Amino acid sequence: MTLVQTITEQAVAGLEIVRRPEDLDAIWQAGVAAALWHRTPLPTFQQWLDGLHPDHLPSARVVLRPAAVRNAVASLCHGAGTPPGPERDMLVDDIAALADIFAALSGAPYLRLRLDRVSGNACGRFHVDAVTVRLICTYRGTGTEYGAGQGGDVPREVFNAPTGAPLLLRGKLWPARGTSELLHRSPPVEGTGETRLVLVLDPVADPEDAA
């Protein structure tokens, strides 16, 4: 049986917990498979987002330059009927800021941006993504599950990334080898009535080659 628990300061093999966004560059350190920016959303923002009808959550999968993210997300919110106001501005600004941080860390000229509304069991298997590096931030609902595994085994201890905390993960295409393997998956929420809002960012070198 796996034990799911909220993240603490105890060590998880291959994970670096940071308190400042600039420290996410720990992902480049030897032996680091993931970096988690441990932050807490403002209560007023989280209450607003959690109270929205799922139909009013922005959703899309696009490839674009980092500088275009802010306007793109603002347009997505408008199209979804996300209520205008300071909280919506905070969501747009935060996604744009994470895109800038991720682009600087990865050196990618383009990003694949996904905003997913998730109400089912999106990905039930623990895995490592087939990318160089990926950023995942759950803005609403249960955060990504992760744990240290060996050879693809299910982790004996499973942790949830806190809601609103960006998780930076090395993928299978990361150039360096020999790092600890840290597996992750989407938490199973089917049948709970929960609708998650999840941001995923991947680096893209050439938008014409991006699937």
Side-chain angles (χ1 to χ4, degrees), residues 117-140:
R117 307 170 189 161
V118 183
S119 57
N121 297 339
C123 181
R125 298 184 62 182
F126 282 94
H127 64 282
V128 176
D129 295 308
V131 296
T132 52
V133 63
R134 171 169 288 177
L135 184 146
I136 304 174
C137 183
T138 303
Y139 281 100
R140 166 172 151 163

Side-chain angles (χ1 to χ4, degrees), residues 11 14-15 30 33 38 66 89 91 119 155 170 177 179 208:
L15 175 71
H38 200 313
D89 293 343
L91 177 63
S119 57
R170 288 188 184 185
R177 295 183 178 273
T179 58
E208 294 188 1

Side-chain angles (χ1 to χ4, degrees), residues 87-179:
E87 290 84 6
R88 189 174 88 172
D89 293 343
M90 289 175 63
L91 177 63
V92 172
D93 289 346
D94 194 73
I95 293 173
L98 289 182
D100 286 341
I101 291 168
F102 183 73
L105 285 169
S106 65
Y110 294 88
L111 302 177
R112 180 186 294 106
L113 181 150
R114 287 168 34 202
L115 272 171
D116 293 338
R117 307 170 189 161
V118 183
S119 57
N121 297 339
C123 181
R125 298 184 62 182
F126 282 94
H127 64 282
V128 176
D129 295 308
V131 296
T132 52
V133 63
R134 171 169 288 177
L135 184 146
I136 304 174
C137 183
T138 303
Y139 281 100
R140 166 172 151 163
T142 308
T144 299
E145 293 185 350
Y146 66 87
Q150 296 293 328
D153 293 338
V154 175
R156 297 183 64 180
E157 282 191 307
V158 177
F159 297 84
N160 283 105
T163 302
L167 180 62
L168 195 61
L169 296 150
R170 288 188 184 185
K172 293 179 180 178
L173 304 183
W174 186 267
R177 295 183 178 273
T179 58

